[in-house]
């Protein structure tokens, strides 16, 4: 694995749960940050999504971020 990703999420987000399950099955390591509990994380998500708190937002090792990426996009970005 080229590196781990950071997933910004909330507890109620179904898309977040789905992507976490897919990444677990694929063996892609990630750190999860709940934006409802971390104001700095919420501000980061807003910054990279034109003022919107879109979750999941995934931050990749190269510094790029994608809102609600597919598992194929995650695999491609981490070289899995």
């Amino acid at each position: 694995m080229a590196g781990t990703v950071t997933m910004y999420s909330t507890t109620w987000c179904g898309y977040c749960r789905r992507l976490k399950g897919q990444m677990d099955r694929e063996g892609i390591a990630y750190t999860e940050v709940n934006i409802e509990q971390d104001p700095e994380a919420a501000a980061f998500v807003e910054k990279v999504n034109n003022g919107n708190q879109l979750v999941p937002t995934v931050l990749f090792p190269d510094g790029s971020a994608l809102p609600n990426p597919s598992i194929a996009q995650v695999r491609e970005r981490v070289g899995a």
Side-chain angles (χ1 to χ4, degrees):
M1 189 69 46
T4 61
V5 299
T6 301
M7 178 192 294
Y8 296 92
S9 67
T10 62
T11 55
W12 49 264
C13 173
Y15 295 111
C16 300
R17 284 192 297 275
R18 183 189 70 205
L19 186 58
K20 286 188 293 187
Q22 291 171 331
M23 291 195 319
D24 288 341
R25 284 189 295 279
E26 297 279 337
I28 298 171
Y30 61 92
T31 300
E32 184 177 8
V33 179
N34 186 331
I35 67 168
E36 293 176 310
Q37 298 172 350
D38 186 334
E40 288 181 19
F44 171 78
V45 168
E46 288 178 7
K47 179 182 173 190
V48 300
N49 291 302
N50 299 315
N52 297 305
Q53 287 190 354
L54 299 174
V55 290
T57 290
V58 178
L59 175 63
F60 296 95
D62 67 0
S64 65
L66 279 178
N68 198 20
S70 68
I71 191 62
Q73 290 171 305
V74 173
R75 278 195 315 262
E76 180 181 320
R77 293 277 182 106
V78 298

